[in-house]
Amino acid sequence: MMYQSFAPPKRLLMGPGPTMVHQRILDASSRSTIGHLDPTFVVLMDEIKHLLQYVFQTENYMTMPVSAPGSAGMEMCFANLLEAGDKAIVCINGVFGSRMKENVERCGGSVVVVEDQWGSPVSLEKVEQALKDNPDVKVVAFVHAETSTGALSDAQALTKLAHEHGALVIVDAVTSLAGVPLMVDKWKLDAVYSGSQKCLSCFPGLSPVTFSEAALDKVGNRKTKVQSWFLDINLVMGYWGAEGGRSYHHTAPVNALYALHEALLMVHEEGIENAWARHQRNHQLLVAGLKQLGLALLVEKPYRLPQLNAVLIPDGVDDAASRKNFLDNHGLEIGAGLGVLAGKIWRIGLMGQASRADYVERCLTILKEQVATVD
Ligand SMILES: *Cc1c(COP(=O)(O)O)cnc(C)c1O
């Protein structure tokens, strides 16, 4: 067998992530590897922390990228904030809420589930009732932007409710970060995790996280050690922290961090508010085009995510065959429906670099051909 270097096909990534990665970001990752404790690398780490504070809109000292995908950021939040016996409310309105439930259980916590229909936001009334019914709840966990359905929940209001009842929040901001307003300090969010491959438009494999003072207090008051050595904030912070120098914890993914730095730089150059506005603008463009094609969206207007559009597949259109056609004949990748929405929706992602008017037009042209073949 003769092996050859891998040559990926040209794709237009308009699914739930990874999304289009700008050449600048790819180029950054191909620069010479240096030591992960090299003084110049330490400067880069500091810049990454500052740029992450900017995109998260926070001054939280404990803000950094976990050296693993979004799911690891999720594990870090749960593993540090929850101890065995702690009770947590987990809001489930799609795939990712179920994973949070699984995390609480694996931390030895007990779960109160607040369930909402897939495609709807998390209900404030239900969460308030659950908090009243369970005065011993320590943490409320919810997904800000549900990528499996395209629904946006009110992170600020949910956090206010949780705090009124003495609970902290864990927020999944994997898809929301840099795509819709996310104000960590203003909304007083406690533990927040995201991913590199959605609206930041980097490649997958890194998970930006940020922790408030209140969250760090909770960690500081633990009676037991965090059960995960790799994800223990105190240990990771010895590496990412600024004061007193860095100590080796693990070897940071040096070149991936060059890429993340470049991706963050691009958001900073554009301005985070402008990035949010661009996502909104291209979403409107897509929605107008879908309407002309007679295609409807799953989520009601006020809760629609601009960066993840769940389109109802019209009767008579074969889901799998259509997506195969998009990919094979047009190089276009869009997402399939998950769970109860499998076969019912397509998920069109306009995340980060993929949120561009010309991509929206291309996607609409391809969809038009598919929809026109029905009858
Ligand atoms: C993509 C995603 C995740 C998981 O991120 P990975 O990088 O795949 O581990 C978690 N939550 C939400 C809402 C996501 O969209």
Side-chain angles (χ1 to χ4, degrees):
M1 182 72 192
M2 270 289 290
Y3 292 105
Q4 289 183 337
S5 300
F6 178 66
K10 256 209 155 2
R11 300 289 193 218
L12 178 53
L13 299 179
M14 297 180 77
T19 189
M20 299 303 284
V21 179
H22 198 279
Q23 193 59 43
R24 260 180 72 178
I25 297 167
L26 294 172
D27 288 347
S29 73
S30 71
R31 292 180 191 137
S32 306
T33 303
I34 57 175
H36 74 118
L37 293 172
D38 187 296
T40 60
F41 191 68
V42 172
V43 172
L44 178 85
M45 289 169 85
D46 277 338
E47 274 198 33
I48 288 173
K49 281 177 27 178
H50 288 134
L51 287 165
L52 280 177
Q53 286 174 328
Y54 170 69
V55 293
F56 272 126
Q57 298 283 289
T58 183
E59 290 181 3
N60 284 342
Y61 160 74
M62 180 49 222
T63 302
M64 51 107 208
V66 180
S67 303
S71 304
M74 170 171 68
E75 296 246 13
M76 181 183 255
C77 291
F78 284 92
N80 283 273
L81 259 62
L82 286 179
E83 277 188 280
D86 282 351
K87 194 187 262 188
I89 291 176
V90 174
C91 306
I92 302 182
N93 63 339
V95 166
F96 293 100
S98 310
R99 291 190 177 181
M100 290 177 140
K101 173 171 181 276
E102 189 59 35
N103 265 265
V104 175
E105 288 165 354
R106 288 177 188 229
C107 289
S110 62
V111 188
V112 177
V113 172
V114 169
E115 228 165 338
D116 285 290
Q117 221 176 356
W118 287 35
S120 299
V122 172
S123 151
L124 293 172
E125 292 73 26
K126 286 186 197 172
V127 171
E128 184 165 29
Q129 193 57 53
L131 281 162
K132 283 181 179 157
D133 294 343
N134 300 276
D136 52 342
V137 159
K138 299 269 174 53
V139 165
V140 175
F142 61 88
V143 179
H144 187 206
E146 228 330 324
T147 324
S148 62
T149 68
L152 179 70
S153 289
D154 189 341
Q156 184 175 21
L158 286 165
T159 303
K160 190 162 175 281
L161 270 180
H163 288 174
E164 280 166 9
H165 290 82
L168 298 176
V169 292
I170 294 179
V171 184
D172 179 321
V174 176
T175 283
S176 57
L177 183 67
V180 286
L182 171 72
M183 321 289 277
V184 169
D185 283 1
K186 192 167 169 220
W187 299 348
K188 301 187 163 63
L189 311 182
D190 296 300
V192 186
Y193 60 92
S194 190
S196 50
Q197 78 276 29
K198 314 251 170 153
C199 297
L200 291 179
S201 255
C202 186
F203 42 72
L206 292 168
S207 177
V209 294
T210 185
F211 290 82
S212 71
E213 282 299 325
L216 293 177
D217 283 349
K218 170 103 172 75
V219 181
N221 289 324
R222 288 179 67 102
K223 288 176 216 68
T224 53
K225 275 189 184 176
V226 174
Q227 69 272 26
S228 164
W229 175 83
F230 185 65
L231 297 174
D232 185 330
I233 293 180
N234 298 305
L235 301 179
V236 174
M237 218 39 203
Y239 185 44
W240 273 94
E243 278 127 54
R246 309 287 163 104
S247 56
Y248 169 62
H249 176 257
H250 65 281
T251 310
V254 172
N255 292 60
L257 289 175
Y258 297 166
L260 179 66
H261 179 265
E262 197 69 20
L264 291 168
L265 209 56
M266 289 182 74
V267 176
H268 189 259
E269 285 168 6
E270 179 178 20
I272 189 90
E273 291 88 359
N274 294 331
W276 298 333
R278 173 171 52 82
H279 280 88
Q280 198 52 248
R281 231 176 15 250
N282 290 317
H283 162 72
Q284 301 299 349
L285 202 61
L286 178 72
V287 172
L290 290 170
K291 196 169 172 204
Q292 283 193 337
L293 299 181
L295 295 173
L297 288 139
L298 171 76
V299 178
E300 281 182 51
K301 203 170 172 186
Y303 316 114
R304 280 177 196 160
L305 286 172
Q307 66 273 53
L308 196 288
N309 300 267
V311 181
L312 295 167
I313 302 173
D315 289 339
V317 173
D318 184 317
D319 171 31
S322 306
R323 281 183 296 102
K324 185 171 170 11
N325 169 42
F326 299 156
L327 192 68
D328 292 352
N329 300 318
H330 304 281
L332 170 69
E333 180 183 285
I334 62 168
L338 299 174
V340 291
L341 295 173
K344 299 202 170 76
I345 58 166
W346 288 325
R347 292 182 299 150
I348 301 178
L350 302 178
M351 297 181 174
Q353 299 291 326
S355 178
R356 270 176 42 174
D358 56 333
Y359 290 162
V360 170
E361 295 300 344
R362 244 166 90 187
C363 178
L364 285 167
T365 304
I366 296 164
L367 288 182
K368 184 175 180 177
E369 187 185 293
Q370 190 74 39
V371 177
T373 58
V374 188
D375 290 328

